[in-house]
Amino acid sequence: MEYTHLGRSGLSVSRLCLGTMNFGPLTPEPEANSIMDSALASGINYFDTANVYGGERGPGATESLVGRWFARGGDRRERTVLATKLYGTTSDWPNNGRLSALNIRRALDASLRRLQTDYIDIYQFHHIDRETPWDEIWQAMETAVAQGKILYAGSSNFAGWHIATAQAEARRRNFTGLVSEQSIYNLLTRDLELEVLPAARANGLGVIAWSPLQGGLLGGVLGKERDGRRRLEGRSAETLAAHRPAIQAFEDFAADLGHKPGDVALAWLLHQPGVTAPIIGPRTQAQLDDGLRALDVTLDAAALARLDEIFPGHKPAPEDYAW
């Protein structure tokens, strides 16, 4: 396993991040426990969850599952860099969502109880809160750091100017601010390259890419379709129809390289400047094993150029649309 610092921090994290969103609603607890044990054994030390994950089991169910896994001992918690998130509403009562100082305090304490730990390594804002001032947000986070309940702050689904503003307000308070930004980024969805990636790199944030396979569309979907192993519906089917020629060219190119499409898509992210790790969210042990293979894929300049031809990206703004 390769490790790197998360943004400008001194925190060392694995180049793959284990996402837990499927644990509980789609992956039964015994299998989820086995996947987490396998991830640690393979060297993945970076785990991501959120207080709203749980599906039909309700918000907090996934955090509770992870907490029971920590409680099994064996240095599971000590070996894990734990990231969770807040913002989403956990009930219909006022102040049980967003980023008010009150919700930060309550949501953090609730996550700590569910996760059966006394601190969270990276406490992430799941979305920008346009109604709460940064002075209030940072004051609440500073208090949590002083109490030893969190070590670092991160963001998710922020625009570039949100990152710049957050960091400017943190510097004004002599606070560390954000060390990471988690956002959708993959070969099909490259809007991050316009402003978020440049803002993250300029402000010392490591980028964590969620949906690295675009909901499975970059995981060999056409091959599975031909074999009768997968049939898409709804939005995924519409996206596939719109990008079918490019996805076919991508799968053909992956075959030429001698790799599976999903391995190439993950490896491409690992080659992008500013990207700390893609999040792999396995439902099964086999999917975890698939994700680990990407670490062995090296893409040379010619391969990266070919992928840019198949899935054109963006220059940083404003050069992408002006001079």
Side-chain angles (χ1 to χ4, degrees):
M1 179 59 61
E2 299 177 7
Y3 299 90
T4 188
H5 287 152
L6 181 59
R8 69 188 183 287
S9 78
L11 184 66
S12 293
V13 296
S14 49
R15 293 302 311 277
L16 294 177
C17 176
L18 182 73
T20 63
M21 187 170 66
N22 290 320
F23 295 171
L26 295 179
T27 305
E29 187 162 346
E31 189 173 2
N33 289 339
S34 177
I35 291 172
M36 288 188 283
D37 283 337
S38 295
L40 275 186
S42 71
I44 296 177
N45 74 335
Y46 191 6
F47 287 26
D48 177 79
T49 189
N51 67 345
V52 293
Y53 292 170
E56 294 181 355
R57 297 169 183 260
T62 298
E63 283 189 334
S64 295
L65 184 154
V66 175
R68 290 190 292 272
W69 178 75
F70 284 146
R72 299 174 70 184
D75 290 334
R76 286 177 171 84
R77 176 63 186 99
E78 291 75 13
R79 297 170 63 195
T80 301
V81 174
L82 173 63
T84 192
K85 299 184 280 291
L86 84 155
Y87 176 87
T89 301
T90 56
S91 78
D92 58 1
W93 196 248
N95 298 310
N96 281 344
R98 308 182 75 90
L99 302 180
S100 69
L102 178 58
N103 188 52
I104 289 174
R105 175 175 175 169
R106 288 177 174 172
L108 175 56
D109 285 346
S111 286
L112 290 171
R113 287 193 298 270
R114 287 189 293 264
L115 290 162
Q116 300 192 45
T117 185
D118 57 2
Y119 74 99
I120 289 165
D121 297 279
I122 311 154
Y123 201 39
Q124 303 163 123
F125 311 128
H126 213 160
H127 196 277
I128 189 69
D129 185 347
R130 296 180 175 87
E131 298 178 4
T132 304
W134 276 109
D135 273 339
E136 178 179 345
I137 294 170
W138 284 138
Q139 183 179 41
M141 295 295 280
E142 289 163 13
T143 299
V145 169
Q147 292 171 335
K149 294 180 179 181
I150 65 172
L151 301 182
Y152 302 94
S155 59
S156 181
N157 306 307
F158 274 31
W161 75 272
H162 296 145
I163 292 171
T165 300
Q167 296 303 77
E169 292 299 309
R171 282 192 293 269
R172 187 172 60 82
R173 301 177 63 91
N174 295 315
F175 187 59
T176 304
L178 304 169
V179 299
S180 63
E181 159 61 17
Q182 187 179 130
S183 189
I184 185 170
Y185 187 36
N186 56 60
L187 279 164
L188 264 174
T189 303
R190 298 181 60 169
D191 306 83
L192 219 66
E193 296 167 353
L194 282 165
E195 300 201 20
V196 175
L197 265 178
R201 294 179 68 186
N203 285 276
L205 280 65
V207 171
I208 313 302
W210 62 263
S211 195
L213 302 185
Q214 189 65 39
L217 293 180
L218 297 171
V221 65
L222 295 180
K224 294 173 183 177
E225 186 181 71
R226 286 192 297 271
D227 296 340
R229 290 181 289 146
R230 181 158 189 171
R231 182 179 178 181
L232 298 177
E233 298 178 351
R235 184 177 297 178
S236 293
E238 294 173 1
T239 304
L240 175 60
H243 298 280
R244 193 179 191 93
I247 292 173
Q248 183 63 68
F250 168 64
E251 292 190 12
D252 292 343
F253 181 59
D256 292 341
L257 293 175
H259 297 295
K260 292 186 175 182
D263 300 346
V264 174
L266 287 173
W268 176 82
L269 282 167
L270 292 169
H271 284 71
Q272 300 311 301
V275 173
T276 298
I279 296 178
I280 54 173
R283 294 190 305 273
T284 65
Q285 178 66 46
Q287 290 180 347
L288 173 63
D289 295 339
D290 288 345
L292 289 167
R293 282 200 310 265
L295 297 169
D296 298 323
V297 177
T298 299
L299 302 174
D300 60 19
L304 292 170
R306 175 56 181 148
L307 290 170
D308 282 338
E309 291 176 359
I310 297 171
F311 299 111
H314 296 279
K315 297 177 182 178
E319 287 84 358
D320 191 76
Y321 48 78
W323 57 273

